[in-house]
Amino acid sequence: MKIKEAIKLGNRSEVEYILEKILNKDKIFLHLNPEYEFDENQFLKIIELRKKEYPLEYIFNEAYFYGDTFYIKEGVLVPRDDTEPLIDIVLKEIKDFKNPTIAEIGMGSGIISITLAKRIKAKFIATDINPLALEVTSKNIKNHNVDINLYLTNLLDNVNENIDIIISNPPYVEEEWVYEALKYEPKEALFAKDNGTYLLKEIVKEGIKREVKMIICEMGHNQKKLMTKFFDENGIKNFYFYKDLSGNDRGFVVKL
């Protein structure tokens, strides 16, 4: 198969990425050598996987987030651009803190804590109930040369340290919601009961119990009203919501 023929078999930017990986060539080479021939077997297998919505990140064990490259594998949630505003919010809010202790609940591949640890001076703790998340995060910690204490636990159980800030991108997809592109990702990292708000509420309760100063969470675009009601019912006055890159409601900040 020639490069110019391969380019026609899918989204151009995605096909070019696949070709760069399997041919070990850069994009300039692809553009300058449309007649270049290669064995198409591996390429066609990947194209078939993509037709079935299998994540490209799992195929190459690589994901991009906030300008960095991270190791990823099946069994751990694929990082998404929607989470990047969470980093911006933390960086903005952290200015009033001096060497805080930050705990991330539900680390997944560790992208949030690692991205922050490369940019701010703080002590980081990260937890998850999935042993594979600790494996993947440990590899990313080593690759990015940062220091984060990891715990295999629910919420902040078994974490005895004082926490200043809780951050999280927890499961918040409604259990009734069906989306083909999510079928290969771990359900425990995606879905939550109570219209997707169960863990969001549990995290806030955990923060109140531990007397943290701030909680910053990602949430679903349609959960602002539900979370506002929860805050009001629990006497939480100091909070605001932030939007994602598409202008959708995507998370909240609670100051206690």
Side-chain angles (χ1 to χ4, degrees):
M1 177 177 284
K2 296 180 179 180
I3 286 176
K4 68 178 183 180
E5 296 168 336
I7 293 294
K8 298 177 182 178
L9 296 182
N11 174 277
R12 185 182 182 93
S13 61
E14 184 172 295
V15 170
E16 286 181 348
Y17 172 75
I18 295 169
L19 291 173
E20 286 180 65
K21 288 293 183 184
I22 66 174
L23 300 179
N24 195 27
K25 304 289 186 182
D26 61 22
K27 194 168 293 186
I28 295 175
F29 177 89
L30 301 181
H31 291 177
L32 294 179
N33 297 275
E35 300 292 332
Y36 181 85
E37 293 194 35
F38 63 96
D39 184 337
E40 69 268 25
N41 288 335
Q42 183 186 9
F43 173 77
L44 292 177
K45 287 178 182 177
I46 293 172
I47 292 297
E48 285 304 307
L49 285 172
R50 290 299 295 139
K51 287 180 181 178
K52 298 174 183 177
E53 301 281 359
Y54 189 76
L56 197 60
E57 292 85 354
Y58 290 161
I59 295 172
F60 293 108
N61 299 119
E62 181 178 78
Y64 298 99
F65 182 78
Y66 215 80
D68 278 328
T69 304
F70 292 88
Y71 171 72
I72 191 75
K73 67 187 292 187
E74 186 171 353
V76 175
L77 190 70
V78 174
R80 288 169 169 80
D81 292 345
D82 286 343
T83 303
E84 293 191 357
L86 175 64
I87 302 297
D88 296 329
I89 293 294
V90 176
L91 293 177
K92 182 184 78 171
E93 294 288 353
I94 203 75
K95 293 175 182 177
D96 295 331
F97 291 83
K98 185 177 181 180
N99 300 330
T101 298
I102 301 174
E104 180 185 5
I105 293 175
M107 73 184 85
S109 55
I111 58 165
I112 295 175
S113 288
I114 292 170
T115 299
L116 290 170
K118 293 175 71 173
R119 290 163 172 80
I120 58 178
K121 187 174 182 180
K123 180 176 183 180
F124 285 90
I125 293 166
T127 73
D128 208 295
I129 60 171
N130 181 4
L132 192 58
L134 270 74
E135 175 194 321
V136 172
T137 297
S138 294
K139 187 165 185 174
N140 280 322
I141 286 172
K142 184 177 181 181
N143 290 345
H144 289 270
N145 193 29
V146 295
D147 184 20
I148 300 170
N149 295 328
L150 307 183
Y151 291 82
L152 181 64
T153 191
N154 181 54
L155 297 177
L156 294 175
D157 297 349
N158 306 317
V159 178
N160 298 318
E161 302 179 58
N162 292 325
I163 308 296
D164 297 300
I165 302 170
I166 291 176
I167 56 176
S168 184
N169 174 21
Y172 57 73
V173 179
E174 299 92 325
E175 291 177 313
E176 304 78 24
W177 199 60
V178 179
Y179 186 41
E180 186 73 8
L182 296 176
K183 67 181 180 181
Y184 299 104
E185 297 186 62
K187 290 180 173 58
E188 67 273 12
L190 288 163
F191 299 98
K193 56 188 179 181
D194 196 10
N195 294 309
T197 65
Y198 175 76
L199 278 165
L200 293 168
K201 294 172 181 176
E202 289 300 300
I203 289 168
V204 174
K205 291 176 185 176
E206 181 78 9
I208 293 171
K209 181 179 74 175
R210 286 181 169 266
E211 299 182 337
V212 305
K213 298 178 179 66
M214 187 179 299
I215 304 164
I216 303 174
C217 279
E218 183 172 323
M219 69 175 194
H221 67 90
N222 59 344
Q223 294 168 339
K224 181 177 180 178
K225 187 178 292 185
L226 292 170
M227 292 309 298
T228 298
K229 183 173 182 287
F230 171 76
F231 295 149
D232 290 342
E233 290 174 346
N234 287 270
I236 298 171
K237 304 294 184 185
N238 196 355
F239 65 90
Y240 70 87
F241 296 91
Y242 67 86
K243 297 182 182 296
D244 62 21
L245 302 174
S246 300
N248 298 313
D249 292 316
R250 186 53 64 190
F252 60 80
V253 177
V254 171
K255 299 182 181 181
L256 299 170

mmCIF file with all atom_site columns, all heavy atoms in Angstrom, residues 41-53:
data_model
loop_
_atom_site.group_PDB
_atom_site.id
_atom_site.type_symbol
_atom_site.label_atom_id
_atom_site.label_alt_id
_atom_site.label_comp_id
_atom_site.label_asym_id
_atom_site.label_entity_id
_atom_site.label_seq_id
_atom_site.pdbx_PDB_ins_code
_atom_site.Cartn_x
_atom_site.Cartn_y
_atom_site.Cartn_z
_atom_site.occupancy
_atom_site.B_iso_or_equiv
_atom_site.pdbx_formal_charge
_atom_site.auth_seq_id
_atom_site.auth_comp_id
_atom_site.auth_asym_id
_atom_site.auth_atom_id
_atom_site.pdbx_PDB_model_num
ATOM 1   N N   . ASN A 1 41 ? -0.401  -4.648 6.469  1.00 0.00 ? 41 ASN A N   1
ATOM 2   C CA  . ASN A 1 41 ? -1.104  -5.547 7.393  1.00 0.00 ? 41 ASN A CA  1
ATOM 3   C C   . ASN A 1 41 ? -1.385  -4.905 8.750  1.00 0.00 ? 41 ASN A C   1
ATOM 4   O O   . ASN A 1 41 ? -2.524  -4.899 9.228  1.00 0.00 ? 41 ASN A O   1
ATOM 5   C CB  . ASN A 1 41 ? -0.321  -6.852 7.580  1.00 0.00 ? 41 ASN A CB  1
ATOM 6   C CG  . ASN A 1 41 ? -0.377  -7.738 6.343  1.00 0.00 ? 41 ASN A CG  1
ATOM 7   O OD1 . ASN A 1 41 ? -1.322  -7.635 5.540  1.00 0.00 ? 41 ASN A OD1 1
ATOM 8   N ND2 . ASN A 1 41 ? 0.611   -8.591 6.170  1.00 0.00 ? 41 ASN A ND2 1
ATOM 9   N N   . GLN A 1 42 ? -0.352  -4.389 9.385  1.00 0.00 ? 42 GLN A N   1
ATOM 10  C CA  . GLN A 1 42 ? -0.532  -3.769 10.706 1.00 0.00 ? 42 GLN A CA  1
ATOM 11  C C   . GLN A 1 42 ? -1.444  -2.545 10.606 1.00 0.00 ? 42 GLN A C   1
ATOM 12  O O   . GLN A 1 42 ? -2.324  -2.338 11.446 1.00 0.00 ? 42 GLN A O   1
ATOM 13  C CB  . GLN A 1 42 ? 0.816   -3.365 11.302 1.00 0.00 ? 42 GLN A CB  1
ATOM 14  C CG  . GLN A 1 42 ? 0.704   -2.771 12.705 1.00 0.00 ? 42 GLN A CG  1
ATOM 15  C CD  . GLN A 1 42 ? 2.042   -2.251 13.228 1.00 0.00 ? 42 GLN A CD  1
ATOM 16  O OE1 . GLN A 1 42 ? 3.026   -2.181 12.499 1.00 0.00 ? 42 GLN A OE1 1
ATOM 17  N NE2 . GLN A 1 42 ? 2.071   -1.871 14.502 1.00 0.00 ? 42 GLN A NE2 1
ATOM 18  N N   . PHE A 1 43 ? -1.250  -1.760 9.574  1.00 0.00 ? 43 PHE A N   1
ATOM 19  C CA  . PHE A 1 43 ? -2.049  -0.548 9.378  1.00 0.00 ? 43 PHE A CA  1
ATOM 20  C C   . PHE A 1 43 ? -3.532  -0.891 9.252  1.00 0.00 ? 43 PHE A C   1
ATOM 21  O O   . PHE A 1 43 ? -4.386  -0.261 9.893  1.00 0.00 ? 43 PHE A O   1
ATOM 22  C CB  . PHE A 1 43 ? -1.565  0.191  8.131  1.00 0.00 ? 43 PHE A CB  1
ATOM 23  C CG  . PHE A 1 43 ? -2.423  1.359  7.746  1.00 0.00 ? 43 PHE A CG  1
ATOM 24  C CD1 . PHE A 1 43 ? -2.345  2.558  8.442  1.00 0.00 ? 43 PHE A CD1 1
ATOM 25  C CD2 . PHE A 1 43 ? -3.319  1.261  6.690  1.00 0.00 ? 43 PHE A CD2 1
ATOM 26  C CE1 . PHE A 1 43 ? -3.143  3.643  8.091  1.00 0.00 ? 43 PHE A CE1 1
ATOM 27  C CE2 . PHE A 1 43 ? -4.122  2.336  6.326  1.00 0.00 ? 43 PHE A CE2 1
ATOM 28  C CZ  . PHE A 1 43 ? -4.031  3.524  7.035  1.00 0.00 ? 43 PHE A CZ  1
ATOM 29  N N   . LEU A 1 44 ? -3.857  -1.888 8.433  1.00 0.00 ? 44 LEU A N   1
ATOM 30  C CA  . LEU A 1 44 ? -5.257  -2.247 8.208  1.00 0.00 ? 44 LEU A CA  1
ATOM 31  C C   . LEU A 1 44 ? -5.908  -2.814 9.470  1.00 0.00 ? 44 LEU A C   1
ATOM 32  O O   . LEU A 1 44 ? -7.101  -2.599 9.720  1.00 0.00 ? 44 LEU A O   1
ATOM 33  C CB  . LEU A 1 44 ? -5.361  -3.244 7.055  1.00 0.00 ? 44 LEU A CB  1
ATOM 34  C CG  . LEU A 1 44 ? -5.009  -2.671 5.670  1.00 0.00 ? 44 LEU A CG  1
ATOM 35  C CD1 . LEU A 1 44 ? -5.072  -3.760 4.611  1.00 0.00 ? 44 LEU A CD1 1
ATOM 36  C CD2 . LEU A 1 44 ? -5.933  -1.514 5.313  1.00 0.00 ? 44 LEU A CD2 1
ATOM 37  N N   . LYS A 1 45 ? -5.131  -3.530 10.274 1.00 0.00 ? 45 LYS A N   1
ATOM 38  C CA  . LYS A 1 45 ? -5.664  -4.046 11.545 1.00 0.00 ? 45 LYS A CA  1
ATOM 39  C C   . LYS A 1 45 ? -6.053  -2.891 12.474 1.00 0.00 ? 45 LYS A C   1
ATOM 40  O O   . LYS A 1 45 ? -7.090  -2.937 13.143 1.00 0.00 ? 45 LYS A O   1
ATOM 41  C CB  . LYS A 1 45 ? -4.627  -4.936 12.227 1.00 0.00 ? 45 LYS A CB  1
ATOM 42  C CG  . LYS A 1 45 ? -4.450  -6.291 11.567 1.00 0.00 ? 45 LYS A CG  1
ATOM 43  C CD  . LYS A 1 45 ? -3.373  -7.107 12.273 1.00 0.00 ? 45 LYS A CD  1
ATOM 44  C CE  . LYS A 1 45 ? -3.162  -8.449 11.569 1.00 0.00 ? 45 LYS A CE  1
ATOM 45  N NZ  . LYS A 1 45 ? -2.060  -9.243 12.200 1.00 0.00 ? 45 LYS A NZ  1
ATOM 46  N N   . ILE A 1 46 ? -5.210  -1.859 12.498 1.00 0.00 ? 46 ILE A N   1
ATOM 47  C CA  . ILE A 1 46 ? -5.493  -0.692 13.338 1.00 0.00 ? 46 ILE A CA  1
ATOM 48  C C   . ILE A 1 46 ? -6.716  0.050  12.815 1.00 0.00 ? 46 ILE A C   1
ATOM 49  O O   . ILE A 1 46 ? -7.576  0.477  13.596 1.00 0.00 ? 46 ILE A O   1
ATOM 50  C CB  . ILE A 1 46 ? -4.267  0.239  13.398 1.00 0.00 ? 46 ILE A CB  1
ATOM 51  C CG1 . ILE A 1 46 ? -3.128  -0.456 14.137 1.00 0.00 ? 46 ILE A CG1 1
ATOM 52  C CG2 . ILE A 1 46 ? -4.621  1.573  14.075 1.00 0.00 ? 46 ILE A CG2 1
ATOM 53  C CD1 . ILE A 1 46 ? -1.806  0.292  14.089 1.00 0.00 ? 46 ILE A CD1 1
ATOM 54  N N   . ILE A 1 47 ? -6.832  0.183  11.516 1.00 0.00 ? 47 ILE A N   1
ATOM 55  C CA  . ILE A 1 47 ? -7.993  0.854  10.921 1.00 0.00 ? 47 ILE A CA  1
ATOM 56  C C   . ILE A 1 47 ? -9.281  0.110  11.282 1.00 0.00 ? 47 ILE A C   1
ATOM 57  O O   . ILE A 1 47 ? -10.313 0.737  11.597 1.00 0.00 ? 47 ILE A O   1
ATOM 58  C CB  . ILE A 1 47 ? -7.841  0.956  9.385  1.00 0.00 ? 47 ILE A CB  1
ATOM 59  C CG1 . ILE A 1 47 ? -6.705  1.918  9.019  1.00 0.00 ? 47 ILE A CG1 1
ATOM 60  C CG2 . ILE A 1 47 ? -9.152  1.398  8.738  1.00 0.00 ? 47 ILE A CG2 1
ATOM 61  C CD1 . ILE A 1 47 ? -6.926  3.353  9.473  1.00 0.00 ? 47 ILE A CD1 1
ATOM 62  N N   . GLU A 1 48 ? -9.237  -1.204 11.281 1.00 0.00 ? 48 GLU A N   1
ATOM 63  C CA  . GLU A 1 48 ? -10.420 -1.987 11.654 1.00 0.00 ? 48 GLU A CA  1
ATOM 64  C C   . GLU A 1 48 ? -10.774 -1.781 13.117 1.00 0.00 ? 48 GLU A C   1
ATOM 65  O O   . GLU A 1 48 ? -11.952 -1.685 13.470 1.00 0.00 ? 48 GLU A O   1
ATOM 66  C CB  . GLU A 1 48 ? -10.176 -3.480 11.373 1.00 0.00 ? 48 GLU A CB  1
ATOM 67  C CG  . GLU A 1 48 ? -10.232 -3.834 9.901  1.00 0.00 ? 48 GLU A CG  1
ATOM 68  C CD  . GLU A 1 48 ? -11.541 -3.416 9.243  1.00 0.00 ? 48 GLU A CD  1
ATOM 69  O OE1 . GLU A 1 48 ? -12.614 -3.792 9.766  1.00 0.00 ? 48 GLU A OE1 1
ATOM 70  O OE2 . GLU A 1 48 ? -11.489 -2.692 8.227  1.00 0.00 ? 48 GLU A OE2 1
ATOM 71  N N   . LEU A 1 49 ? -9.776  -1.725 13.977 1.00 0.00 ? 49 LEU A N   1
ATOM 72  C CA  . LEU A 1 49 ? -10.025 -1.453 15.393 1.00 0.00 ? 49 LEU A CA  1
ATOM 73  C C   . LEU A 1 49 ? -10.669 -0.087 15.585 1.00 0.00 ? 49 LEU A C   1
ATOM 74  O O   . LEU A 1 49 ? -11.588 0.086  16.391 1.00 0.00 ? 49 LEU A O   1
ATOM 75  C CB  . LEU A 1 49 ? -8.716  -1.533 16.185 1.00 0.00 ? 49 LEU A CB  1
ATOM 76  C CG  . LEU A 1 49 ? -8.147  -2.924 16.457 1.00 0.00 ? 49 LEU A CG  1
ATOM 77  C CD1 . LEU A 1 49 ? -6.759  -2.817 17.076 1.00 0.00 ? 49 LEU A CD1 1
ATOM 78  C CD2 . LEU A 1 49 ? -9.072  -3.711 17.389 1.00 0.00 ? 49 LEU A CD2 1
ATOM 79  N N   . ARG A 1 50 ? -10.202 0.883  14.835 1.00 0.00 ? 50 ARG A N   1
ATOM 80  C CA  . ARG A 1 50 ? -10.753 2.241  14.955 1.00 0.00 ? 50 ARG A CA  1
ATOM 81  C C   . ARG A 1 50 ? -12.197 2.308  14.448 1.00 0.00 ? 50 ARG A C   1
ATOM 82  O O   . ARG A 1 50 ? -13.010 3.072  14.971 1.00 0.00 ? 50 ARG A O   1
ATOM 83  C CB  . ARG A 1 50 ? -9.876  3.235  14.181 1.00 0.00 ? 50 ARG A CB  1
ATOM 84  C CG  . ARG A 1 50 ? -8.532  3.469  14.813 1.00 0.00 ? 50 ARG A CG  1
ATOM 85  C CD  . ARG A 1 50 ? -8.660  4.057  16.216 1.00 0.00 ? 50 ARG A CD  1
ATOM 86  N NE  . ARG A 1 50 ? -9.243  5.393  16.180 1.00 0.00 ? 50 ARG A NE  1
ATOM 87  C CZ  . ARG A 1 50 ? -10.134 5.826  17.035 1.00 0.00 ? 50 ARG A CZ  1
ATOM 88  N NH1 . ARG A 1 50 ? -10.606 5.054  17.999 1.00 0.00 ? 50 ARG A NH1 1
ATOM 89  N NH2 . ARG A 1 50 ? -10.601 7.064  16.941 1.00 0.00 ? 50 ARG A NH2 1
ATOM 90  N N   . LYS A 1 51 ? -12.526 1.487  13.458 1.00 0.00 ? 51 LYS A N   1
ATOM 91  C CA  . LYS A 1 51 ? -13.907 1.422  12.978 1.00 0.00 ? 51 LYS A CA  1
ATOM 92  C C   . LYS A 1 51 ? -14.842 0.916  14.072 1.00 0.00 ? 51 LYS A C   1
ATOM 93  O O   . LYS A 1 51 ? -16.030 1.239  14.095 1.00 0.00 ? 51 LYS A O   1
ATOM 94  C CB  . LYS A 1 51 ? -14.001 0.523  11.748 1.00 0.00 ? 51 LYS A CB  1
ATOM 95  C CG  . LYS A 1 51 ? -13.424 1.130  10.483 1.00 0.00 ? 51 LYS A CG  1
ATOM 96  C CD  . LYS A 1 51 ? -13.554 0.182  9.313  1.00 0.00 ? 51 LYS A CD  1
ATOM 97  C CE  . LYS A 1 51 ? -12.960 0.781  8.039  1.00 0.00 ? 51 LYS A CE  1
ATOM 98  N NZ  . LYS A 1 51 ? -13.034 -0.168 6.898  1.00 0.00 ? 51 LYS A NZ  1
ATOM 99  N N   . LYS A 1 52 ? -14.283 0.118  14.986 1.00 0.00 ? 52 LYS A N   1
ATOM 100 C CA  . LYS A 1 52 ? -15.062 -0.412 16.107 1.00 0.00 ? 52 LYS A CA  1
ATOM 101 C C   . LYS A 1 52 ? -14.980 0.494  17.334 1.00 0.00 ? 52 LYS A C   1
ATOM 102 O O   . LYS A 1 52 ? -15.374 0.104  18.417 1.00 0.00 ? 52 LYS A O   1
ATOM 103 C CB  . LYS A 1 52 ? -14.561 -1.811 16.461 1.00 0.00 ? 52 LYS A CB  1
ATOM 104 C CG  . LYS A 1 52 ? -14.716 -2.820 15.333 1.00 0.00 ? 52 LYS A CG  1
ATOM 105 C CD  . LYS A 1 52 ? -14.068 -4.143 15.694 1.00 0.00 ? 52 LYS A CD  1
ATOM 106 C CE  . LYS A 1 52 ? -14.158 -5.129 14.541 1.00 0.00 ? 52 LYS A CE  1
ATOM 107 N NZ  . LYS A 1 52 ? -13.449 -6.416 14.849 1.00 0.00 ? 52 LYS A NZ  1
ATOM 108 N N   . GLU A 1 53 ? -14.428 1.713  17.147 1.00 0.00 ? 53 GLU A N   1
ATOM 109 C CA  . GLU A 1 53 ? -14.301 2.721  18.204 1.00 0.00 ? 53 GLU A CA  1
ATOM 110 C C   . GLU A 1 53 ? -13.276 2.349  19.279 1.00 0.00 ? 53 GLU A C   1
ATOM 111 O O   . GLU A 1 53 ? -13.280 2.908  20.376 1.00 0.00 ? 53 GLU A O   1
ATOM 112 C CB  . GLU A 1 53 ? -15.665 2.996  18.877 1.00 0.00 ? 53 GLU A CB  1
ATOM 113 C CG  . GLU A 1 53 ? -16.737 3.483  17.929 1.00 0.00 ? 53 GLU A CG  1
ATOM 114 C CD  . GLU A 1 53 ? -16.595 4.959  17.593 1.00 0.00 ? 53 GLU A CD  1
ATOM 115 O OE1 . GLU A 1 53 ? -15.679 5.600  18.102 1.00 0.00 ? 53 GLU A OE1 1
ATOM 116 O OE2 . GLU A 1 53 ? -17.430 5.446  16.809 1.00 0.00 ? 53 GLU A OE2 1
#
